[in-house]
mmCIF file of all heavy atoms in Angstrom:
data_model
loop_
_atom_site.group_PDB
_atom_site.id
_atom_site.type_symbol
_atom_site.label_atom_id
_atom_site.label_comp_id
_atom_site.label_asym_id
_atom_site.label_seq_id
_atom_site.Cartn_x
_atom_site.Cartn_y
_atom_site.Cartn_z
ATOM 1 N N ILE A 361 10.834 28.684 -23.826
ATOM 2 C CA ILE A 361 12.093 28.591 -24.408
ATOM 3 C C ILE A 361 13.129 29.245 -23.464
ATOM 4 O O ILE A 361 14.223 28.834 -23.177
ATOM 5 C CB ILE A 361 12.228 29.036 -25.772
ATOM 6 C CG1 ILE A 361 11.250 28.194 -26.624
ATOM 7 C CG2 ILE A 361 13.634 28.979 -26.355
ATOM 8 C CD1 ILE A 361 11.041 28.710 -28.111
ATOM 9 N N GLY A 362 12.727 30.460 -23.053
ATOM 10 C CA GLY A 362 13.620 31.304 -22.230
ATOM 11 C C GLY A 362 13.980 30.697 -20.901
ATOM 12 O O GLY A 362 14.979 31.135 -20.353
ATOM 13 N N ILE A 363 13.123 29.700 -20.343
ATOM 14 C CA ILE A 363 13.495 29.102 -19.068
ATOM 15 C C ILE A 363 14.110 27.756 -19.292
ATOM 16 O O ILE A 363 14.209 26.909 -18.360
ATOM 17 C CB ILE A 363 12.471 29.185 -18.080
ATOM 18 C CG1 ILE A 363 11.225 28.295 -18.560
ATOM 19 C CG2 ILE A 363 11.906 30.569 -17.776
ATOM 20 C CD1 ILE A 363 10.219 27.950 -17.612
ATOM 21 N N GLY A 364 14.364 27.316 -20.578
ATOM 22 C CA GLY A 364 14.814 25.948 -20.851
ATOM 23 C C GLY A 364 16.155 25.773 -20.151
ATOM 24 O O GLY A 364 17.013 26.589 -20.196
ATOM 25 N N GLU A 365 16.274 24.576 -19.594
ATOM 26 C CA GLU A 365 17.663 24.271 -18.866
ATOM 27 C C GLU A 365 18.254 23.110 -19.555
ATOM 28 O O GLU A 365 17.774 22.281 -20.310
ATOM 29 C CB GLU A 365 17.270 23.803 -17.449
ATOM 30 C CG GLU A 365 16.660 24.981 -16.658
ATOM 31 C CD GLU A 365 16.317 24.547 -15.123
ATOM 32 O OE1 GLU A 365 16.509 23.370 -14.774
ATOM 33 O OE2 GLU A 365 15.954 25.508 -14.427
ATOM 34 N N THR A 366 19.548 22.957 -19.311
ATOM 35 C CA THR A 366 20.336 21.895 -19.770
ATOM 36 C C THR A 366 20.105 20.675 -18.836
ATOM 37 O O THR A 366 19.969 20.870 -17.589
ATOM 38 C CB THR A 366 21.869 22.237 -19.607
ATOM 39 O OG1 THR A 366 22.151 23.356 -20.372
ATOM 40 C CG2 THR A 366 22.833 21.066 -19.946
ATOM 41 N N PRO A 367 19.870 19.556 -19.339
ATOM 42 C CA PRO A 367 19.439 18.299 -18.620
ATOM 43 C C PRO A 367 20.533 18.206 -17.451
ATOM 44 O O PRO A 367 21.766 18.167 -17.679
ATOM 45 C CB PRO A 367 19.640 17.237 -19.461
ATOM 46 C CG PRO A 367 19.198 17.835 -20.792
ATOM 47 C CD PRO A 367 19.802 19.160 -20.841
ATOM 48 N N GLY A 368 20.048 18.085 -16.134
ATOM 49 C CA GLY A 368 20.909 17.823 -15.075
ATOM 50 C C GLY A 368 21.359 19.174 -14.424
ATOM 51 O O GLY A 368 22.124 19.135 -13.357
ATOM 52 N N LYS A 369 21.043 20.287 -14.968
ATOM 53 C CA LYS A 369 21.673 21.554 -14.391
ATOM 54 C C LYS A 369 20.666 22.633 -14.554
ATOM 55 O O LYS A 369 20.114 22.888 -15.693
ATOM 56 C CB LYS A 369 22.887 21.891 -15.046
ATOM 57 C CG LYS A 369 23.610 23.108 -14.584
ATOM 58 C CD LYS A 369 24.899 23.365 -15.360
ATOM 59 C CE LYS A 369 25.628 24.639 -14.845
ATOM 60 N NZ LYS A 369 26.894 24.859 -15.545
ATOM 61 N N GLY A 370 20.386 23.463 -13.531
ATOM 62 C CA GLY A 370 19.473 24.635 -13.689
ATOM 63 C C GLY A 370 18.618 24.822 -12.357
ATOM 64 O O GLY A 370 18.524 23.958 -11.556
ATOM 65 N N PRO A 371 18.257 26.043 -12.190
ATOM 66 C CA PRO A 371 17.431 26.451 -10.891
ATOM 67 C C PRO A 371 16.131 25.493 -10.717
ATOM 68 O O PRO A 371 15.773 25.222 -9.671
ATOM 69 C CB PRO A 371 17.145 27.892 -11.045
ATOM 70 C CG PRO A 371 17.280 28.130 -12.574
ATOM 71 C CD PRO A 371 18.323 27.249 -13.082
ATOM 72 N N ILE A 372 15.426 25.268 -11.865
ATOM 73 C CA ILE A 372 14.171 24.490 -11.596
ATOM 74 C C ILE A 372 14.613 23.059 -11.270
ATOM 75 O O ILE A 372 13.928 22.514 -10.397
ATOM 76 C CB ILE A 372 13.381 24.532 -12.960
ATOM 77 C CG1 ILE A 372 12.849 25.984 -13.290
ATOM 78 C CG2 ILE A 372 12.155 23.533 -12.879
ATOM 79 C CD1 ILE A 372 12.193 26.084 -14.567
ATOM 80 N N GLN A 373 15.523 22.470 -11.869
ATOM 81 C CA GLN A 373 15.929 21.132 -11.528
ATOM 82 C C GLN A 373 16.560 21.006 -10.048
ATOM 83 O O GLN A 373 16.244 20.110 -9.319
ATOM 84 C CB GLN A 373 16.935 20.554 -12.550
ATOM 85 C CG GLN A 373 16.233 20.262 -13.844
ATOM 86 C CD GLN A 373 17.319 20.032 -14.921
ATOM 87 O OE1 GLN A 373 17.674 18.861 -15.180
ATOM 88 N NE2 GLN A 373 17.768 20.944 -15.649
ATOM 89 N N ASP A 374 17.285 22.185 -9.774
ATOM 90 C CA ASP A 374 17.676 22.244 -8.275
ATOM 91 C C ASP A 374 16.586 22.256 -7.332
ATOM 92 O O ASP A 374 16.624 21.639 -6.261
ATOM 93 C CB ASP A 374 18.677 23.517 -8.170
ATOM 94 C CG ASP A 374 19.982 23.312 -8.975
ATOM 95 O OD1 ASP A 374 20.262 22.180 -9.299
ATOM 96 O OD2 ASP A 374 20.625 24.349 -9.102
ATOM 97 N N PHE A 375 15.511 23.048 -7.710
ATOM 98 C CA PHE A 375 14.401 23.194 -6.914
ATOM 99 C C PHE A 375 13.767 21.917 -6.702
ATOM 100 O O PHE A 375 13.407 21.525 -5.487
ATOM 101 C CB PHE A 375 13.332 24.176 -7.497
ATOM 102 C CG PHE A 375 12.004 24.149 -6.906
ATOM 103 C CD1 PHE A 375 11.702 24.785 -5.739
ATOM 104 C CD2 PHE A 375 11.012 23.471 -7.572
ATOM 105 C CE1 PHE A 375 10.481 24.745 -5.207
ATOM 106 C CE2 PHE A 375 9.670 23.413 -7.081
ATOM 107 C CZ PHE A 375 9.436 24.176 -5.801
ATOM 108 N N LEU A 376 13.552 21.103 -7.726
ATOM 109 C CA LEU A 376 12.826 19.827 -7.691
ATOM 110 C C LEU A 376 13.678 18.767 -6.921
ATOM 111 O O LEU A 376 13.069 18.116 -6.067
ATOM 112 C CB LEU A 376 12.691 19.357 -9.144
ATOM 113 C CG LEU A 376 11.622 20.147 -9.893
ATOM 114 C CD1 LEU A 376 11.745 19.767 -11.442
ATOM 115 C CD2 LEU A 376 10.238 20.055 -9.402
ATOM 116 N N ALA A 377 14.936 18.727 -7.095
ATOM 117 C CA ALA A 377 15.834 17.891 -6.324
ATOM 118 C C ALA A 377 15.682 18.163 -4.846
ATOM 119 O O ALA A 377 15.626 17.237 -4.024
ATOM 120 C CB ALA A 377 17.230 17.885 -6.927
ATOM 121 N N GLY A 378 15.697 19.455 -4.529
ATOM 122 C CA GLY A 378 15.653 19.834 -3.147
ATOM 123 C C GLY A 378 14.335 19.465 -2.549
ATOM 124 O O GLY A 378 14.264 19.044 -1.366
ATOM 125 N N GLN A 379 13.280 19.724 -3.258
ATOM 126 C CA GLN A 379 11.865 19.331 -2.737
ATOM 127 C C GLN A 379 11.792 17.779 -2.428
ATOM 128 O O GLN A 379 11.185 17.363 -1.444
ATOM 129 C CB GLN A 379 10.855 19.799 -3.666
ATOM 130 C CG GLN A 379 10.596 21.233 -3.734
ATOM 131 C CD GLN A 379 10.018 21.804 -2.438
ATOM 132 O OE1 GLN A 379 9.065 21.257 -1.844
ATOM 133 N NE2 GLN A 379 10.677 22.958 -2.001
ATOM 134 N N ALA A 380 12.279 17.001 -3.415
ATOM 135 C CA ALA A 380 12.222 15.553 -3.246
ATOM 136 C C ALA A 380 13.015 15.105 -1.994
ATOM 137 O O ALA A 380 12.577 14.425 -1.152
ATOM 138 C CB ALA A 380 12.691 14.834 -4.446
ATOM 139 N N ARG A 381 14.304 15.662 -1.920
ATOM 140 C CA ARG A 381 15.162 15.303 -0.811
ATOM 141 C C ARG A 381 14.702 15.804 0.478
ATOM 142 O O ARG A 381 14.640 15.111 1.492
ATOM 143 C CB ARG A 381 16.606 15.852 -1.148
ATOM 144 C CG ARG A 381 17.598 15.535 -0.111
ATOM 145 C CD ARG A 381 18.998 16.172 -0.524
ATOM 146 N NE ARG A 381 18.962 17.574 -0.724
ATOM 147 C CZ ARG A 381 18.963 18.223 -1.844
ATOM 148 N NH1 ARG A 381 19.084 17.594 -2.986
ATOM 149 N NH2 ARG A 381 18.942 19.538 -1.845
ATOM 150 N N ASP A 382 14.285 17.126 0.603
ATOM 151 C CA ASP A 382 13.944 17.676 1.951
ATOM 152 C C ASP A 382 12.625 17.076 2.417
ATOM 153 O O ASP A 382 12.425 17.083 3.601
ATOM 154 C CB ASP A 382 13.726 19.225 1.739
ATOM 155 C CG ASP A 382 15.109 19.928 1.451
ATOM 156 O OD1 ASP A 382 16.179 19.270 1.563
ATOM 157 O OD2 ASP A 382 15.093 21.104 1.020
ATOM 158 N N ASN A 383 11.777 16.610 1.476
ATOM 159 C CA ASN A 383 10.513 15.980 1.979
ATOM 160 C C ASN A 383 10.498 14.506 1.929
ATOM 161 O O ASN A 383 9.548 13.889 2.373
ATOM 162 C CB ASN A 383 9.426 16.506 1.004
ATOM 163 C CG ASN A 383 9.020 17.947 1.220
ATOM 164 O OD1 ASN A 383 8.470 18.405 2.271
ATOM 165 N ND2 ASN A 383 9.401 18.841 0.287
ATOM 166 N N GLY A 384 11.634 13.897 1.419
ATOM 167 C CA GLY A 384 11.758 12.513 1.494
ATOM 168 C C GLY A 384 10.669 11.690 0.718
ATOM 169 O O GLY A 384 10.112 10.712 1.165
ATOM 170 N N LEU A 385 10.335 12.282 -0.519
ATOM 171 C CA LEU A 385 9.342 11.553 -1.292
ATOM 172 C C LEU A 385 9.690 11.472 -2.764
ATOM 173 O O LEU A 385 10.621 12.155 -3.208
ATOM 174 C CB LEU A 385 8.017 12.386 -1.213
ATOM 175 C CG LEU A 385 7.658 13.405 -2.118
ATOM 176 C CD1 LEU A 385 6.233 13.860 -2.146
ATOM 177 C CD2 LEU A 385 8.523 14.755 -1.806
ATOM 178 N N TRP A 386 9.079 10.574 -3.481
ATOM 179 C CA TRP A 386 9.152 10.488 -4.929
ATOM 180 C C TRP A 386 8.419 11.660 -5.576
ATOM 181 O O TRP A 386 7.195 11.820 -5.219
ATOM 182 C CB TRP A 386 8.614 9.132 -5.472
ATOM 183 C CG TRP A 386 9.564 8.010 -5.126
ATOM 184 C CD1 TRP A 386 9.582 7.364 -3.992
ATOM 185 C CD2 TRP A 386 10.606 7.407 -5.982
ATOM 186 N NE1 TRP A 386 10.553 6.328 -4.013
ATOM 187 C CE2 TRP A 386 11.150 6.435 -5.265
ATOM 188 C CE3 TRP A 386 11.073 7.834 -7.299
ATOM 189 C CZ2 TRP A 386 12.170 5.685 -5.817
ATOM 190 C CZ3 TRP A 386 12.062 7.018 -7.729
ATOM 191 C CH2 TRP A 386 12.662 5.952 -6.954
ATOM 192 N N LEU A 387 9.115 12.449 -6.308
ATOM 193 C CA LEU A 387 8.452 13.604 -6.994
ATOM 194 C C LEU A 387 8.523 13.586 -8.550
ATOM 195 O O LEU A 387 9.610 13.567 -8.979
ATOM 196 C CB LEU A 387 9.153 14.910 -6.463
ATOM 197 C CG LEU A 387 8.571 16.241 -7.034
ATOM 198 C CD1 LEU A 387 7.128 16.442 -6.637
ATOM 199 C CD2 LEU A 387 9.378 17.455 -6.476
ATOM 200 N N MET A 388 7.292 13.638 -9.066
ATOM 201 C CA MET A 388 7.398 13.603 -10.505
ATOM 202 C C MET A 388 6.989 14.990 -10.981
ATOM 203 O O MET A 388 5.920 15.579 -10.559
ATOM 204 C CB MET A 388 6.370 12.575 -11.193
ATOM 205 C CG MET A 388 6.439 12.553 -12.616
ATOM 206 S SD MET A 388 5.448 11.228 -13.332
ATOM 207 C CE MET A 388 6.426 9.750 -12.838
ATOM 208 N N ALA A 389 7.878 15.534 -11.643
ATOM 209 C CA ALA A 389 7.872 17.050 -11.947
ATOM 210 C C ALA A 389 7.155 17.365 -13.240
ATOM 211 O O ALA A 389 7.665 17.964 -14.219
ATOM 212 C CB ALA A 389 9.271 17.556 -11.911
ATOM 213 N N GLY A 390 5.781 17.138 -13.239
ATOM 214 C CA GLY A 390 4.919 17.602 -14.252
ATOM 215 C C GLY A 390 5.675 17.660 -15.558
ATOM 216 O O GLY A 390 6.163 16.644 -16.047
ATOM 217 N N THR A 391 5.709 18.917 -16.165
ATOM 218 C CA THR A 391 6.681 19.113 -17.211
ATOM 219 C C THR A 391 7.269 20.494 -17.204
ATOM 220 O O THR A 391 6.686 21.409 -16.630
ATOM 221 C CB THR A 391 6.066 18.976 -18.681
ATOM 222 O OG1 THR A 391 5.209 20.076 -18.938
ATOM 223 C CG2 THR A 391 5.360 17.678 -18.821
ATOM 224 N N PHE A 392 8.483 20.679 -17.742
ATOM 225 C CA PHE A 392 9.093 21.930 -17.901
ATOM 226 C C PHE A 392 10.102 21.842 -19.107
ATOM 227 O O PHE A 392 10.227 20.766 -19.673
ATOM 228 C CB PHE A 392 9.815 22.387 -16.547
ATOM 229 C CG PHE A 392 10.973 21.578 -16.161
ATOM 230 C CD1 PHE A 392 12.231 21.929 -16.417
ATOM 231 C CD2 PHE A 392 10.616 20.352 -15.563
ATOM 232 C CE1 PHE A 392 13.295 21.099 -16.017
ATOM 233 C CE2 PHE A 392 11.797 19.538 -15.065
ATOM 234 C CZ PHE A 392 13.075 19.979 -15.359
ATOM 235 N N SER A 393 10.789 22.886 -19.448
ATOM 236 C CA SER A 393 11.529 22.896 -20.638
ATOM 237 C C SER A 393 12.954 22.484 -20.366
ATOM 238 O O SER A 393 13.626 22.958 -19.524
ATOM 239 C CB SER A 393 11.536 24.355 -21.216
ATOM 240 O OG SER A 393 10.221 24.775 -21.453
ATOM 241 N N LEU A 394 13.394 21.477 -21.148
ATOM 242 C CA LEU A 394 14.823 21.136 -21.307
ATOM 243 C C LEU A 394 15.285 21.447 -22.661
ATOM 244 O O LEU A 394 14.653 21.216 -23.704
ATOM 245 C CB LEU A 394 15.040 19.607 -21.057
ATOM 246 C CG LEU A 394 14.765 19.207 -19.617
ATOM 247 C CD1 LEU A 394 15.056 17.706 -19.368
ATOM 248 C CD2 LEU A 394 15.731 20.102 -18.524
ATOM 249 N N GLN A 395 16.512 21.972 -22.853
ATOM 250 C CA GLN A 395 16.973 22.384 -24.054
ATOM 251 C C GLN A 395 17.252 21.305 -25.098
ATOM 252 O O GLN A 395 17.553 20.222 -24.621
ATOM 253 C CB GLN A 395 18.393 23.176 -23.849
ATOM 254 C CG GLN A 395 18.180 24.483 -23.104
ATOM 255 C CD GLN A 395 19.537 25.097 -22.685
ATOM 256 O OE1 GLN A 395 20.620 24.387 -22.895
ATOM 257 N NE2 GLN A 395 19.527 26.257 -22.154
ATOM 258 N N SER A 396 17.022 21.620 -26.332
ATOM 259 C CA SER A 396 17.269 20.658 -27.448
ATOM 260 C C SER A 396 18.442 21.295 -28.274
ATOM 261 O O SER A 396 19.020 22.203 -28.027
ATOM 262 C CB SER A 396 16.007 20.511 -28.342
ATOM 263 O OG SER A 396 15.767 21.660 -29.146
ATOM 264 N N ASP A 397 18.645 20.488 -29.414
ATOM 265 C CA ASP A 397 19.643 20.937 -30.308
ATOM 266 C C ASP A 397 19.324 22.103 -31.105
ATOM 267 O O ASP A 397 19.945 22.722 -31.914
ATOM 268 C CB ASP A 397 20.071 19.706 -31.196
ATOM 269 C CG ASP A 397 20.850 18.670 -30.580
ATOM 270 O OD1 ASP A 397 21.445 18.975 -29.506
ATOM 271 O OD2 ASP A 397 20.838 17.553 -31.001
ATOM 272 N N GLU A 398 17.967 22.434 -30.978
ATOM 273 C CA GLU A 398 17.339 23.602 -31.837
ATOM 274 C C GLU A 398 17.248 24.870 -30.888
ATOM 275 O O GLU A 398 16.591 24.728 -29.851
ATOM 276 C CB GLU A 398 16.063 23.226 -32.351
ATOM 277 C CG GLU A 398 16.041 22.043 -33.243
ATOM 278 C CD GLU A 398 14.736 21.632 -33.819
ATOM 279 O OE1 GLU A 398 13.877 22.649 -34.044
ATOM 280 O OE2 GLU A 398 14.402 20.541 -34.146
ATOM 281 N N ALA A 399 17.779 25.943 -31.310
ATOM 282 C CA ALA A 399 17.640 27.179 -30.545
ATOM 283 C C ALA A 399 16.198 27.530 -30.274
ATOM 284 O O ALA A 399 15.920 28.056 -29.221
ATOM 285 C CB ALA A 399 18.473 28.240 -31.197
ATOM 286 N N ALA A 400 15.308 27.368 -31.246
ATOM 287 C CA ALA A 400 14.006 27.840 -31.133
ATOM 288 C C ALA A 400 12.962 26.887 -30.632
ATOM 289 O O ALA A 400 11.746 27.205 -30.651
ATOM 290 C CB ALA A 400 13.490 28.303 -32.530
ATOM 291 N N ARG A 401 13.433 25.687 -30.175
ATOM 292 C CA ARG A 401 12.457 24.696 -29.759
ATOM 293 C C ARG A 401 13.097 23.922 -28.529
ATOM 294 O O ARG A 401 14.336 23.792 -28.462
ATOM 295 C CB ARG A 401 12.053 23.723 -30.726
ATOM 296 C CG ARG A 401 11.271 24.386 -31.796
ATOM 297 C CD ARG A 401 10.357 23.251 -32.590
ATOM 298 N NE ARG A 401 11.219 22.195 -33.213
ATOM 299 C CZ ARG A 401 10.655 21.046 -33.678
ATOM 300 N NH1 ARG A 401 9.267 20.864 -33.748
ATOM 301 N NH2 ARG A 401 11.425 20.222 -34.178
ATOM 302 N N VAL A 402 12.348 23.474 -27.609
ATOM 303 C CA VAL A 402 12.783 22.798 -26.364
ATOM 304 C C VAL A 402 11.967 21.448 -26.305
ATOM 305 O O VAL A 402 11.002 21.315 -27.081
ATOM 306 C CB VAL A 402 12.573 23.671 -25.113
ATOM 307 C CG1 VAL A 402 13.451 24.816 -25.097
ATOM 308 C CG2 VAL A 402 11.063 24.060 -24.927
ATOM 309 N N TYR A 403 12.499 20.647 -25.405
ATOM 310 C CA TYR A 403 11.594 19.484 -24.961
ATOM 311 C C TYR A 403 10.753 19.801 -23.868
ATOM 312 O O TYR A 403 11.069 20.545 -22.983
ATOM 313 C CB TYR A 403 12.547 18.259 -24.566
ATOM 314 C CG TYR A 403 13.376 17.636 -25.734
ATOM 315 C CD1 TYR A 403 14.718 17.875 -25.842
ATOM 316 C CD2 TYR A 403 12.727 16.821 -26.578
ATOM 317 C CE1 TYR A 403 15.484 17.338 -26.886
ATOM 318 C CE2 TYR A 403 13.456 16.278 -27.686
ATOM 319 C CZ TYR A 403 14.869 16.493 -27.782
ATOM 320 O OH TYR A 403 15.598 15.962 -28.777
ATOM 321 N N ASN A 404 9.447 19.255 -23.940
ATOM 322 C CA ASN A 404 8.527 19.333 -22.865
ATOM 323 C C ASN A 404 8.698 18.078 -22.008
ATOM 324 O O ASN A 404 8.188 17.002 -22.359
ATOM 325 C CB ASN A 404 7.105 19.453 -23.401
ATOM 326 C CG ASN A 404 6.129 19.802 -22.179
ATOM 327 O OD1 ASN A 404 6.510 20.252 -21.296
ATOM 328 N ND2 ASN A 404 4.881 19.605 -22.566
ATOM 329 N N SER A 405 9.505 18.141 -20.922
ATOM 330 C CA SER A 405 10.024 16.909 -20.298
ATOM 331 C C SER A 405 9.373 16.847 -18.949
ATOM 332 O O SER A 405 9.168 17.717 -18.169
ATOM 333 C CB SER A 405 11.500 17.169 -20.175
ATOM 334 O OG SER A 405 12.257 17.280 -21.427
ATOM 335 N N CYS A 406 9.271 15.574 -18.547
ATOM 336 C CA CYS A 406 8.733 15.188 -17.277
ATOM 337 C C CYS A 406 9.874 14.427 -16.583
ATOM 338 O O CYS A 406 10.352 13.371 -17.147
ATOM 339 C CB CYS A 406 7.525 14.250 -17.435
ATOM 340 S SG CYS A 406 6.775 13.681 -15.850
ATOM 341 N N LEU A 407 10.299 14.763 -15.395
ATOM 342 C CA LEU A 407 11.369 14.150 -14.645
ATOM 343 C C LEU A 407 10.867 13.537 -13.351
ATOM 344 O O LEU A 407 9.973 14.054 -12.634
ATOM 345 C CB LEU A 407 12.472 15.133 -14.323
ATOM 346 C CG LEU A 407 13.129 15.798 -15.500
ATOM 347 C CD1 LEU A 407 14.327 16.722 -14.982
ATOM 348 C CD2 LEU A 407 13.579 14.894 -16.568
ATOM 349 N N LEU A 408 11.404 12.425 -12.953
ATOM 350 C CA LEU A 408 11.101 11.732 -11.717
ATOM 351 C C LEU A 408 12.301 11.767 -10.849
ATOM 352 O O LEU A 408 13.392 11.368 -11.256
ATOM 353 C CB LEU A 408 10.694 10.228 -12.004
ATOM 354 C CG LEU A 408 10.347 9.396 -10.716
ATOM 355 C CD1 LEU A 408 9.175 9.926 -9.920
ATOM 356 C CD2 LEU A 408 10.129 7.964 -11.268
ATOM 357 N N PHE A 409 12.085 12.239 -9.538
ATOM 358 C CA PHE A 409 13.073 12.464 -8.504
ATOM 359 C C PHE A 409 12.834 11.427 -7.426
ATOM 360 O O PHE A 409 11.663 11.342 -6.966
ATOM 361 C CB PHE A 409 13.277 13.917 -8.078
ATOM 362 C CG PHE A 409 13.810 14.873 -9.135
ATOM 363 C CD1 PHE A 409 12.826 15.347 -10.077
ATOM 364 C CD2 PHE A 409 15.072 15.292 -9.089
ATOM 365 C CE1 PHE A 409 13.261 16.262 -10.991
ATOM 366 C CE2 PHE A 409 15.561 16.165 -10.055
ATOM 367 C CZ PHE A 409 14.662 16.608 -10.923
ATOM 368 N N ASN A 410 13.880 10.837 -7.077
ATOM 369 C CA ASN A 410 13.785 9.874 -5.796
ATOM 370 C C ASN A 410 13.860 10.652 -4.551
ATOM 371 O O ASN A 410 14.279 11.832 -4.518
ATOM 372 C CB ASN A 410 14.619 8.667 -5.984
ATOM 373 C CG ASN A 410 16.178 9.052 -5.741
ATOM 374 O OD1 ASN A 410 16.468 10.138 -5.191
ATOM 375 N ND2 ASN A 410 17.009 8.144 -6.199
ATOM 376 N N PRO A 411 13.633 10.017 -3.358
ATOM 377 C CA PRO A 411 13.717 10.708 -2.105
ATOM 378 C C PRO A 411 15.079 11.259 -1.736
ATOM 379 O O PRO A 411 15.266 12.037 -0.765
ATOM 380 C CB PRO A 411 13.198 9.730 -1.042
ATOM 381 C CG PRO A 411 12.302 8.751 -1.913
ATOM 382 C CD PRO A 411 13.081 8.657 -3.231
ATOM 383 N N ASP A 412 16.162 10.776 -2.451
ATOM 384 C CA ASP A 412 17.522 11.243 -2.269
ATOM 385 C C ASP A 412 17.745 12.556 -3.087
ATOM 386 O O ASP A 412 18.876 13.176 -2.988
ATOM 387 C CB ASP A 412 18.570 10.264 -2.552
ATOM 388 C CG ASP A 412 18.525 9.089 -1.572
ATOM 389 O OD1 ASP A 412 18.187 9.282 -0.420
ATOM 390 O OD2 ASP A 412 18.788 7.897 -1.969
#
Side-chain angles (χ1 to χ4, degrees):
I361 299 171
I363 65 166
E365 296 184 354
T366 301
K369 182 180 180 181
I372 295 173
Q373 290 168 90
D374 290 345
F375 164 82
L376 294 166
Q379 287 293 314
R381 182 179 60 251
D382 295 346
N383 289 288
L385 86 165
W386 288 84
L387 178 62
M388 186 170 287
T391 71
F392 65 101
S393 303
L394 290 180
Q395 294 172 351
S396 73
D397 292 334
E398 301 180 30
R401 296 202 298 170
V402 292
Y403 289 106
N404 190 18
S405 300
C406 180
L407 301 186
L408 177 62
F409 292 81
N410 69 17
D412 293 326

